[in-house]
Amino acid sequence: MKFGLLVNEGPFTHQASDSAYQFAKAAIEKGHTVPRVFFYFDGVNNANKLSEPQSDDRNLVKLWGALAAEHGVDLVVCVAAALRRGIKDEILADGFRISGLGQLVEMGMAMDRTLTFGD
Amino acid sequence: MTQPAEIEFDTEGVKKRFAFVNRKAPYGSIYALEILEMVLISAAFEQHAIIAFIDDGVYQIKKGQDARILGMKNFAPTYGVIEMEKEDADEDDDIDMEWRIVVEEESMVARGLTKDDFVLGVEVLPSSELSELLNAQEVVLSA
């Protein structure tokens, strides 16, 4: 099955990004695909490469990037939500790209299931 | 850093039933404003949509708000655009898009509101009917 994920919250403050990441990993391990993850609301903060958690904690920004590199997951950050929060090209982490909200609707249209992770 | 190349999915001829579920008060957090942007973009893709207001989300469409007093962007008038999109879709045979604007009755009543308190025309449905309706949609986006 093809899953599209929507992540509505930033890393660390909220479990949404962790849950989405764990879901994506588990789904891929079971033979499903996750062609796209869309980051919206504070979720755009998952793409901030300046994020530097303590060394004994997980680094969600890098985990997402690694998942994208390994499994070709398309990590899309909403441009309007990103600009509002200062997420721009200069600080965009590896594996992420900035694009429009249309990519979320397109994901909903093309995937078998779309799941929201947020409050 | 070079961004990854744009990936496009094949969505030719795809028509799905979307639902946008508004659950939060309008200015206490950004959810209302940004979900509104989502709804408006989806119109460009001519998808069917249920735009639902539940819990404190019913306050999003209450008449008589002006957030400019708080120095915030006043997006209440934008709900009028949603109503316009819906009317266009209803009236124009060339647009194959059905939109329904729905308020959950229990949420409305619990907050002392009636249908006349809203800035746009809505269907009021009891929770049981709304949950059935949402169950029947293919893409449910909620905040």
Side-chain angles (χ1 to χ4, degrees):
Chain A
M1 194 174 268
K2 285 185 291 180
F3 288 104
L5 310 185
L6 169 63
V7 178
N8 286 350
E9 300 293 339
F12 307 111
T13 304
H14 197 289
Q15 73 170 46
S17 177
D18 285 287
S19 301
Y21 172 76
Q22 298 297 346
F23 179 91
K25 234 177 77 170
I28 291 166
E29 276 166 18
K30 291 271 183 197
H32 302 289
T33 59
V34 181
R36 178 172 296 162
V37 180
F38 193 87
F39 297 87
Y40 197 47
F41 302 100
D42 274 0
V44 299
N45 290 310
N46 285 286
N48 185 348
K49 76 171 174 195
L50 301 178
S51 166
E52 207 174 310
Q54 289 174 327
S55 58
D56 57 352
D57 200 355
R58 80 270 188 236
N59 185 327
L60 275 163
V61 176
K62 288 202 168 135
L63 286 173
W64 279 118
L67 194 75
E70 242 177 88
H71 301 286
V73 182
D74 186 25
L75 306 176
V76 183
V77 178
C78 168
V79 60
L83 287 178
R84 234 178 225 133
R85 294 163 177 88
I87 304 293
K88 301 182 179 186
D89 282 358
E90 301 94 285
I91 60 160
L92 195 68
D94 284 356
F96 291 86
R97 64 185 180 90
I98 297 178
S99 190
L101 253 183
Q103 303 261 297
L104 168 65
V105 180
E106 192 202 56
M107 178 176 89
M109 291 165 73
M111 299 297 110
D112 298 314
R113 293 283 189 281
T114 298
L115 288 105
T116 301
F117 292 85
D119 239 352
Chain B
M1 183 70 227
T2 321
Q3 293 185 28
E6 171 141 0
I7 295 171
E8 263 189 52
F9 299 134
D10 182 14
T11 53
E12 181 77 35
V14 175
K15 182 78 65 180
K16 280 199 176 175
R17 297 185 304 276
F18 280 69
F20 300 92
V21 186
N22 297 280
R23 295 181 286 116
K24 306 265 171 55
Y27 297 98
S29 60
I30 199 165
Y31 297 104
L33 170 62
E34 289 195 326
I35 206 167
L36 192 55
E37 291 176 353
M38 241 188 226
V39 176
L40 293 173
I41 291 283
S42 81
F45 290 81
E46 275 195 32
Q47 302 296 296
H48 302 310
I50 307 290
I51 298 131
F53 298 88
I54 68 172
D55 299 340
D56 277 351
V58 298
Y59 287 130
Q60 291 179 22
I61 51 171
K62 191 182 172 302
K63 281 179 188 163
Q65 301 185 48
D66 189 353
R68 284 173 297 189
I69 299 163
L70 303 172
M72 292 169 96
K73 178 176 164 135
N74 188 51
F75 57 84
T78 313
Y79 291 102
V81 179
I82 289 191
E83 193 169 35
M84 248 169 48
E85 291 280 2
K86 178 188 155 40
E87 283 167 4
D88 284 351
D90 289 346
E91 286 159 18
D92 189 338
D93 292 338
D94 291 334
I95 306 176
D96 175 23
M97 178 173 101
E98 196 196 333
W99 276 20
R100 290 173 66 181
I101 304 163
V102 181
V103 165
E104 189 206 49
E105 188 174 20
E106 286 84 343
S107 301
M108 180 184 82
V109 171
R111 287 161 185 79
L113 300 172
T114 69
K115 217 175 166 175
D116 298 330
D117 291 315
F118 300 128
V119 293
L120 71 181
V122 299
E123 287 176 62
V124 177
L125 293 181
S127 176
S128 55
E129 275 179 49
L130 180 58
S131 67
E132 259 175 50
L133 185 65
L134 291 179
N135 233 348
Q137 308 313 307
E138 294 165 294
V139 181
V140 180
L141 302 170
S142 140

mmCIF file of all heavy atoms in Angstrom, chain B residues 58-87:
data_model
loop_
_atom_site.group_PDB
_atom_site.id
_atom_site.type_symbol
_atom_site.label_atom_id
_atom_site.label_comp_id
_atom_site.label_asym_id
_atom_site.label_seq_id
_atom_site.Cartn_x
_atom_site.Cartn_y
_atom_site.Cartn_z
ATOM 1 N N VAL B 58 -16.033 25.488 15.941
ATOM 2 C CA VAL B 58 -17.254 26.212 15.539
ATOM 3 C C VAL B 58 -17.089 27.726 15.717
ATOM 4 O O VAL B 58 -17.735 28.515 15.035
ATOM 5 C CB VAL B 58 -18.521 25.728 16.294
ATOM 6 C CG1 VAL B 58 -18.806 24.262 16.009
ATOM 7 C CG2 VAL B 58 -18.401 25.966 17.788
ATOM 8 N N TYR B 59 -16.190 28.132 16.614
ATOM 9 C CA TYR B 59 -15.947 29.567 16.813
ATOM 10 C C TYR B 59 -15.276 30.208 15.597
ATOM 11 O O TYR B 59 -15.304 31.418 15.427
ATOM 12 C CB TYR B 59 -15.060 29.805 18.042
ATOM 13 C CG TYR B 59 -15.757 29.579 19.371
ATOM 14 C CD1 TYR B 59 -15.175 28.774 20.349
ATOM 15 C CD2 TYR B 59 -16.970 30.192 19.657
ATOM 16 C CE1 TYR B 59 -15.793 28.575 21.576
ATOM 17 C CE2 TYR B 59 -17.593 29.997 20.884
ATOM 18 C CZ TYR B 59 -16.996 29.196 21.836
ATOM 19 O OH TYR B 59 -17.610 29.008 23.053
ATOM 20 N N GLN B 60 -14.643 29.405 14.759
ATOM 21 C CA GLN B 60 -13.949 29.962 13.588
ATOM 22 C C GLN B 60 -14.890 30.749 12.692
ATOM 23 O O GLN B 60 -14.491 31.711 12.050
ATOM 24 C CB GLN B 60 -13.297 28.839 12.770
ATOM 25 C CG GLN B 60 -12.119 28.178 13.465
ATOM 26 C CD GLN B 60 -11.507 27.059 12.629
ATOM 27 O OE1 GLN B 60 -11.659 27.015 11.416
ATOM 28 N NE2 GLN B 60 -10.809 26.146 13.276
ATOM 29 N N ILE B 61 -16.159 30.297 12.642
ATOM 30 C CA ILE B 61 -17.086 30.923 11.699
ATOM 31 C C ILE B 61 -18.169 31.754 12.408
ATOM 32 O O ILE B 61 -19.193 32.066 11.831
ATOM 33 C CB ILE B 61 -17.735 29.857 10.777
ATOM 34 C CG1 ILE B 61 -18.318 28.705 11.606
ATOM 35 C CG2 ILE B 61 -16.720 29.328 9.781
ATOM 36 C CD1 ILE B 61 -19.154 27.737 10.780
ATOM 37 N N LYS B 62 -17.892 32.106 13.651
ATOM 38 C CA LYS B 62 -18.866 32.937 14.374
ATOM 39 C C LYS B 62 -18.817 34.378 13.858
ATOM 40 O O LYS B 62 -17.740 34.911 13.603
ATOM 41 C CB LYS B 62 -18.561 32.912 15.872
ATOM 42 C CG LYS B 62 -19.693 33.523 16.680
ATOM 43 C CD LYS B 62 -19.383 33.555 18.167
ATOM 44 C CE LYS B 62 -20.453 34.359 18.905
ATOM 45 N NZ LYS B 62 -20.588 35.748 18.435
ATOM 46 N N LYS B 63 -19.999 34.947 13.698
ATOM 47 C CA LYS B 63 -20.099 36.337 13.224
ATOM 48 C C LYS B 63 -19.473 37.320 14.217
ATOM 49 O O LYS B 63 -19.385 37.025 15.403
ATOM 50 C CB LYS B 63 -21.574 36.720 13.062
ATOM 51 C CG LYS B 63 -22.236 36.221 11.799
ATOM 52 C CD LYS B 63 -23.711 36.666 11.804
ATOM 53 C CE LYS B 63 -24.477 36.018 10.650
ATOM 54 N NZ LYS B 63 -25.937 36.100 10.875
ATOM 55 N N GLY B 64 -19.112 38.477 13.701
ATOM 56 C CA GLY B 64 -18.744 39.610 14.556
ATOM 57 C C GLY B 64 -17.330 39.586 15.089
ATOM 58 O O GLY B 64 -17.028 40.253 16.075
ATOM 59 N N GLN B 65 -16.439 38.835 14.431
ATOM 60 C CA GLN B 65 -15.058 38.814 14.906
ATOM 61 C C GLN B 65 -14.216 39.807 14.120
ATOM 62 O O GLN B 65 -14.392 39.960 12.921
ATOM 63 C CB GLN B 65 -14.454 37.425 14.700
ATOM 64 C CG GLN B 65 -15.215 36.333 15.419
ATOM 65 C CD GLN B 65 -14.515 35.000 15.288
ATOM 66 O OE1 GLN B 65 -13.316 34.887 15.502
ATOM 67 N NE2 GLN B 65 -15.271 33.980 14.926
ATOM 68 N N ASP B 66 -13.296 40.447 14.818
ATOM 69 C CA ASP B 66 -12.311 41.282 14.128
ATOM 70 C C ASP B 66 -10.985 41.208 14.870
ATOM 71 O O ASP B 66 -10.766 41.898 15.858
ATOM 72 C CB ASP B 66 -12.793 42.734 14.038
ATOM 73 C CG ASP B 66 -11.880 43.558 13.147
ATOM 74 O OD1 ASP B 66 -10.821 43.034 12.729
ATOM 75 O OD2 ASP B 66 -12.207 44.721 12.871
ATOM 76 N N ALA B 67 -10.106 40.353 14.382
ATOM 77 C CA ALA B 67 -8.836 40.099 15.068
ATOM 78 C C ALA B 67 -7.857 41.262 14.952
ATOM 79 O O ALA B 67 -6.800 41.236 15.581
ATOM 80 C CB ALA B 67 -8.202 38.830 14.520
ATOM 81 N N ARG B 68 -8.217 42.263 14.153
ATOM 82 C CA ARG B 68 -7.294 43.406 14.010
ATOM 83 C C ARG B 68 -7.090 44.115 15.348
ATOM 84 O O ARG B 68 -6.062 44.722 15.598
ATOM 85 C CB ARG B 68 -7.826 44.376 12.955
ATOM 86 C CG ARG B 68 -7.611 43.873 11.538
ATOM 87 C CD ARG B 68 -8.281 44.754 10.516
ATOM 88 N NE ARG B 68 -9.727 44.766 10.703
ATOM 89 C CZ ARG B 68 -10.587 45.327 9.838
ATOM 90 N NH1 ARG B 68 -10.119 45.907 8.760
ATOM 91 N NH2 ARG B 68 -11.877 45.294 10.071
ATOM 92 N N ILE B 69 -8.115 44.032 16.207
ATOM 93 C CA ILE B 69 -8.022 44.630 17.544
ATOM 94 C C ILE B 69 -6.834 44.012 18.298
ATOM 95 O O ILE B 69 -6.191 44.653 19.125
ATOM 96 C CB ILE B 69 -9.343 44.402 18.320
ATOM 97 C CG1 ILE B 69 -10.492 45.076 17.580
ATOM 98 C CG2 ILE B 69 -9.247 44.909 19.748
ATOM 99 C CD1 ILE B 69 -11.864 44.586 18.000
ATOM 100 N N LEU B 70 -6.547 42.747 18.001
ATOM 101 C CA LEU B 70 -5.432 42.047 18.654
ATOM 102 C C LEU B 70 -4.127 42.191 17.885
ATOM 103 O O LEU B 70 -3.116 41.593 18.234
ATOM 104 C CB LEU B 70 -5.764 40.547 18.770
ATOM 105 C CG LEU B 70 -7.042 40.166 19.501
ATOM 106 C CD1 LEU B 70 -7.317 38.685 19.343
ATOM 107 C CD2 LEU B 70 -6.916 40.514 20.977
ATOM 108 N N GLY B 71 -4.178 42.957 16.781
ATOM 109 C CA GLY B 71 -2.986 43.083 15.950
ATOM 110 C C GLY B 71 -2.719 41.831 15.138
ATOM 111 O O GLY B 71 -1.603 41.605 14.669
ATOM 112 N N MET B 72 -3.736 40.990 14.982
ATOM 113 C CA MET B 72 -3.558 39.757 14.217
ATOM 114 C C MET B 72 -4.250 39.861 12.868
ATOM 115 O O MET B 72 -5.157 40.651 12.681
ATOM 116 C CB MET B 72 -4.145 38.567 14.994
ATOM 117 C CG MET B 72 -3.362 38.228 16.252
ATOM 118 S SD MET B 72 -4.250 37.041 17.285
ATOM 119 C CE MET B 72 -3.500 35.516 16.761
ATOM 120 N N LYS B 73 -3.798 39.031 11.949
ATOM 121 C CA LYS B 73 -4.426 38.985 10.624
ATOM 122 C C LYS B 73 -5.882 38.531 10.777
ATOM 123 O O LYS B 73 -6.157 37.496 11.369
ATOM 124 C CB LYS B 73 -3.647 38.005 9.750
ATOM 125 C CG LYS B 73 -4.226 37.816 8.365
ATOM 126 C CD LYS B 73 -3.327 36.906 7.532
ATOM 127 C CE LYS B 73 -4.046 36.390 6.302
ATOM 128 N NZ LYS B 73 -3.235 36.470 5.104
ATOM 129 N N ASN B 74 -6.781 39.313 10.222
ATOM 130 C CA ASN B 74 -8.205 39.010 10.346
ATOM 131 C C ASN B 74 -8.636 38.143 9.158
ATOM 132 O O ASN B 74 -8.886 38.643 8.075
ATOM 133 C CB ASN B 74 -8.996 40.328 10.348
ATOM 134 C CG ASN B 74 -10.453 40.113 10.668
ATOM 135 O OD1 ASN B 74 -10.778 39.461 11.662
ATOM 136 N ND2 ASN B 74 -11.338 40.625 9.843
ATOM 137 N N PHE B 75 -8.702 36.826 9.379
ATOM 138 C CA PHE B 75 -8.989 35.961 8.226
ATOM 139 C C PHE B 75 -10.447 35.528 8.139
ATOM 140 O O PHE B 75 -10.820 34.767 7.245
ATOM 141 C CB PHE B 75 -8.048 34.753 8.187
ATOM 142 C CG PHE B 75 -8.059 33.887 9.415
ATOM 143 C CD1 PHE B 75 -9.015 32.893 9.573
ATOM 144 C CD2 PHE B 75 -7.109 34.058 10.412
ATOM 145 C CE1 PHE B 75 -9.028 32.089 10.698
ATOM 146 C CE2 PHE B 75 -7.114 33.261 11.547
ATOM 147 C CZ PHE B 75 -8.074 32.281 11.690
ATOM 148 N N ALA B 76 -11.281 36.060 9.031
ATOM 149 C CA ALA B 76 -12.705 35.689 9.002
ATOM 150 C C ALA B 76 -13.348 35.874 7.616
ATOM 151 O O ALA B 76 -14.116 35.021 7.170
ATOM 152 C CB ALA B 76 -13.473 36.454 10.073
ATOM 153 N N PRO B 77 -13.022 36.998 6.894
ATOM 154 C CA PRO B 77 -13.654 37.185 5.582
ATOM 155 C C PRO B 77 -13.338 36.057 4.586
ATOM 156 O O PRO B 77 -14.093 35.849 3.641
ATOM 157 C CB PRO B 77 -13.065 38.512 5.082
ATOM 158 C CG PRO B 77 -12.631 39.232 6.318
ATOM 159 C CD PRO B 77 -12.188 38.157 7.268
ATOM 160 N N THR B 78 -12.248 35.344 4.822
ATOM 161 C CA THR B 78 -11.845 34.283 3.886
ATOM 162 C C THR B 78 -12.865 33.141 3.851
ATOM 163 O O THR B 78 -12.963 32.429 2.857
ATOM 164 C CB THR B 78 -10.452 33.733 4.263
ATOM 165 O OG1 THR B 78 -9.596 34.848 4.502
ATOM 166 C CG2 THR B 78 -9.863 32.914 3.133
ATOM 167 N N TYR B 79 -13.628 32.972 4.940
ATOM 168 C CA TYR B 79 -14.648 31.916 4.922
ATOM 169 C C TYR B 79 -15.704 32.198 3.860
ATOM 170 O O TYR B 79 -16.321 31.282 3.327
ATOM 171 C CB TYR B 79 -15.277 31.746 6.318
ATOM 172 C CG TYR B 79 -14.299 31.171 7.311
ATOM 173 C CD1 TYR B 79 -13.666 31.977 8.242
ATOM 174 C CD2 TYR B 79 -13.963 29.821 7.266
ATOM 175 C CE1 TYR B 79 -12.726 31.466 9.130
ATOM 176 C CE2 TYR B 79 -13.028 29.303 8.152
ATOM 177 C CZ TYR B 79 -12.423 30.121 9.079
ATOM 178 O OH TYR B 79 -11.489 29.612 9.931
ATOM 179 N N GLY B 80 -15.862 33.497 3.542
ATOM 180 C CA GLY B 80 -16.768 33.869 2.457
ATOM 181 C C GLY B 80 -16.300 33.290 1.126
ATOM 182 O O GLY B 80 -17.112 32.934 0.264
ATOM 183 N N VAL B 81 -14.981 33.208 0.965
ATOM 184 C CA VAL B 81 -14.424 32.646 -0.275
ATOM 185 C C VAL B 81 -14.779 31.163 -0.376
ATOM 186 O O VAL B 81 -15.104 30.657 -1.452
ATOM 187 C CB VAL B 81 -12.882 32.831 -0.318
ATOM 188 C CG1 VAL B 81 -12.309 32.231 -1.594
ATOM 189 C CG2 VAL B 81 -12.513 34.303 -0.196
ATOM 190 N N ILE B 82 -14.757 30.469 0.748
ATOM 191 C CA ILE B 82 -15.135 29.055 0.764
ATOM 192 C C ILE B 82 -16.587 28.895 0.318
ATOM 193 O O ILE B 82 -16.917 28.044 -0.499
ATOM 194 C CB ILE B 82 -14.945 28.459 2.175
ATOM 195 C CG1 ILE B 82 -13.455 28.339 2.460
ATOM 196 C CG2 ILE B 82 -15.655 27.114 2.309
ATOM 197 C CD1 ILE B 82 -13.109 27.551 3.682
ATOM 198 N N GLU B 83 -17.444 29.772 0.854
ATOM 199 C CA GLU B 83 -18.850 29.702 0.479
ATOM 200 C C GLU B 83 -19.025 29.980 -1.016
ATOM 201 O O GLU B 83 -19.809 29.326 -1.700
ATOM 202 C CB GLU B 83 -19.649 30.706 1.306
ATOM 203 C CG GLU B 83 -21.153 30.474 1.203
ATOM 204 C CD GLU B 83 -21.942 31.283 2.225
ATOM 205 O OE1 GLU B 83 -21.529 32.414 2.523
ATOM 206 O OE2 GLU B 83 -22.955 30.766 2.721
ATOM 207 N N MET B 84 -18.223 30.939 -1.523
ATOM 208 C CA MET B 84 -18.279 31.264 -2.952
ATOM 209 C C MET B 84 -17.855 30.080 -3.814
ATOM 210 O O MET B 84 -18.493 29.771 -4.826
ATOM 211 C CB MET B 84 -17.335 32.438 -3.240
ATOM 212 C CG MET B 84 -18.031 33.719 -3.629
ATOM 213 S SD MET B 84 -16.839 35.083 -3.625
ATOM 214 C CE MET B 84 -15.462 34.400 -4.568
ATOM 215 N N GLU B 85 -16.765 29.422 -3.384
ATOM 216 C CA GLU B 85 -16.271 28.249 -4.127
ATOM 217 C C GLU B 85 -17.353 27.176 -4.161
ATOM 218 O O GLU B 85 -17.571 26.522 -5.179
ATOM 219 C CB GLU B 85 -15.020 27.672 -3.456
ATOM 220 C CG GLU B 85 -13.778 28.542 -3.538
ATOM 221 C CD GLU B 85 -13.067 28.435 -4.887
ATOM 222 O OE1 GLU B 85 -13.558 27.707 -5.779
ATOM 223 O OE2 GLU B 85 -12.022 29.101 -5.051
ATOM 224 N N LYS B 86 -17.999 27.001 -3.029
ATOM 225 C CA LYS B 86 -19.058 25.988 -2.939
ATOM 226 C C LYS B 86 -20.217 26.339 -3.877
ATOM 227 O O LYS B 86 -20.710 25.489 -4.621
ATOM 228 C CB LYS B 86 -19.566 25.884 -1.494
ATOM 229 C CG LYS B 86 -20.714 24.883 -1.331
ATOM 230 C CD LYS B 86 -21.321 24.941 0.053
ATOM 231 C CE LYS B 86 -22.765 24.469 0.096
ATOM 232 N NZ LYS B 86 -23.120 23.315 -0.703
ATOM 233 N N GLU B 87 -20.612 27.597 -3.851
ATOM 234 C CA GLU B 87 -21.732 28.020 -4.706
ATOM 235 C C GLU B 87 -21.381 27.872 -6.187
ATOM 236 O O GLU B 87 -22.207 27.410 -6.984
ATOM 237 C CB GLU B 87 -22.123 29.472 -4.379
ATOM 238 C CG GLU B 87 -22.941 29.565 -3.092
ATOM 239 C CD GLU B 87 -23.074 30.990 -2.568
ATOM 240 O OE1 GLU B 87 -22.586 31.930 -3.241
ATOM 241 O OE2 GLU B 87 -23.639 31.147 -1.470
#
